[in-house]
Amino acid sequence: MNKNQVAFVNGALHWLTGSCSYILALDLAYEVWRKISLPDELSYGTGNRVYLLESNGRLSLIQISDAWMKIWVMKDYERELWHMVDSVSLRCIRGLVPGIFPITQTGEYVFLATHKQVLVYHQRSKVWKEMYSVKNSATLPLWFSAHAFCSTIFPCD
């Protein structure tokens, strides 16, 4: 399995396999494993990176190549039906593409990071913005790493 690629959706933990051939899910209530298919349109091979995320309670995949970022969301979990919600040209952030990876996403925004910056892409307006930039030898704040789990974190009252 790919390390650090876990998404919690529908009461199950999901991992993208190391070969990017399918998603492996562990249903926490029933303690049952399930194999989930990837979108047919997903491109494999050199220069394509695939990331597993959660978006508004749904399973999501982001594929990043040299020139494009494609975003899929699972429309029907039981029937494993995927829908491509966006195909984004990476031309305007071309120099950052080799080291960029998605942190988290919502229905409107995708947050991506490099080792020195956090960018946000607004899907409706198709606008990129720099959200955070590291100065000198500082590192990215830890809350960016934890943000992907915000929908599963709740107070223990």
Side-chain angles (χ1 to χ4, degrees), residues 25-94:
L26 173 62
D27 185 307
L28 297 178
Y30 298 103
E31 299 179 4
V32 174
W33 289 94
R34 175 180 171 190
K35 186 176 169 181
I36 298 175
S37 303
L38 299 177
D40 293 333
E41 303 87 2
L42 194 68
S43 298
Y44 305 100
T46 309
N48 288 310
R49 296 172 284 147
V50 181
Y51 300 91
L52 182 65
L53 298 166
E54 178 269 339
S55 177
N56 293 339
R58 294 182 175 193
L59 209 51
S60 174
L61 285 170
I62 294 182
Q63 177 186 357
I64 297 177
S65 68
D66 293 338
W68 294 92
M69 176 173 68
K70 295 182 179 178
I71 303 168
W72 285 271
V73 173
M74 186 171 273
K75 285 177 69 171
D76 188 324
Y77 188 79
E78 295 306 316
R79 295 185 346 199
E80 299 179 13
L81 296 177
W82 292 94
H83 173 68
M84 186 188 295
V85 294
D86 210 348
S87 184
V88 182
S89 171
L90 300 178
R91 182 184 53 216
C92 63
I93 62 163
R94 184 179 21 237

Side-chain angles (χ1 to χ4, degrees), residues 100-118:
I100 202 162
F101 61 94
I103 303 169
T104 190
Q105 72 179 119
T106 68
E108 280 187 66
Y109 298 97
V110 180
F111 295 88
L112 301 108
T114 68
H115 67 288
K116 294 278 186 185
Q117 292 173 291
V118 173

Side-chain angles (χ1 to χ4, degrees), residues 120-131:
V120 61
Y121 174 73
H122 188 252
Q123 289 179 268
R124 288 188 189 151
S125 67
K126 308 284 187 195
V127 172
W128 289 93
K129 290 186 179 179
E130 181 181 72
M131 184 176 171

